[in-house]
Amino acid sequence: MHDDELTVPPETVRALIADQFPEWRDHSVRRVGAHGTVNAIYRIGDGLAARFPLRAGDADETRTWLAAEAAATRELLGRTRFRTPEPVALGEPGHGYPLPWSVQTWVPGVVATDDDPGDSVPFARDLAEFVAGVRGIDTAGRTFRGTGRGGDLRAHDEWLETCFRRSERLLDVPELRRLWAELRDLPRDGRPDVMNHGDLIPGNVLVADGCLAGVLDAGGLGPADPALDLVAAWHLLEAVPRQAFRAALGCDDLDWERGRAWAFQQSMGLVWYYLDSNPPMCQLGRRTLARIVAA
């Protein structure tokens, strides 16, 4: 998927576990979540998940990021009624794998990529409850850290220009350029940052019996535009449940449209970047853009 992608074979994972966490050496080890783009995920026994960063980088920087991810994950733990992972351990490089890695508790459920909840109003209301619960976490004076999604929409013009160029044979780029020209200028109107999960896409959402069972990948939890987590409405929901989600959160027109803008910004990169390497992510981008345009 990435030019700098690392290979994480099962035998390497088993060797790392045996050396660094011998208490788990007799547990089964199997790879899961084959469509992930950030980490290779291995299940350890029934209760744990090991996460190995896929992109090459500096070991010290990766260790710092994993520590911040663990802190964010702990901050979310127990703050809603929906299950989220709990950090367990931090592993070190070895056996040919060059970076630190992490272990979390395993959260049961089926990812929404595999069990599409898009037509479920109960799921939409659960999702709104989760977003509201995250917003209720105290920012403790923190504000948006200034990178990625969640700050100024117009700061992403250069990225969108790259996406438009790369998508000319894949999407109706003239129409999408016109839409971004409208979305990018939506004002914030002084609305303060609130806590957001930051990446509510199907691969991070667990489903059971048409309802929300849990949420993964809380490492991006932090203060940002209050509209940021509204991307979930476009990534996960069809029209009727989407309106139920909006009604449950009481979104006004401006926040709703800014959420649509953040979903647009994220989706434009998925189609061309993952065209050949990760078809489910490419298809997610196409589906979300279609929903955004139709609205």
Side-chain angles (χ1 to χ4, degrees), residues 74-159:
R74 289 189 187 94
E75 187 171 7
L76 179 59
L77 194 66
R79 299 305 297 265
T80 75
R81 67 180 176 90
F82 305 102
R83 296 186 67 175
T84 58
E86 179 178 357
V88 174
L90 182 64
E92 291 296 329
H95 293 278
Y97 181 74
L99 298 175
W101 47 285
S102 63
V103 181
Q104 299 179 341
T105 54
W106 175 264
V107 180
V110 180
V111 292
T113 308
D114 298 330
D115 184 5
D116 185 359
D119 289 317
S120 171
V121 169
F123 172 83
R125 290 175 177 149
D126 284 348
L127 192 60
E129 181 184 341
F130 175 79
V131 170
V134 172
R135 288 176 172 179
I137 299 172
D138 188 359
T139 64
R142 293 167 293 178
T143 58
F144 180 67
R145 60 181 175 268
T147 61
R149 294 180 299 276
D152 184 352
L153 286 164
R154 292 169 294 185
H156 298 272
D157 282 344
E158 184 176 350
W159 168 245

Side-chain angles (χ1 to χ4, degrees), residues 46 52 64 113 128-129 145 166 227 252 271:
D46 292 329
F52 294 84
T64 298
T113 308
E129 181 184 341
R145 60 181 175 268
R166 295 294 191 98
D252 64 20
V271 178

Side-chain angles (χ1 to χ4, degrees), residues 180-199:
W180 178 244
E182 298 172 3
L183 294 174
R184 69 180 294 280
D185 288 329
L186 290 167
R188 179 76 173 264
D189 277 4
R191 300 173 192 219
D193 290 345
V194 299
M195 296 296 279
N196 284 260
H197 174 278
D199 198 19

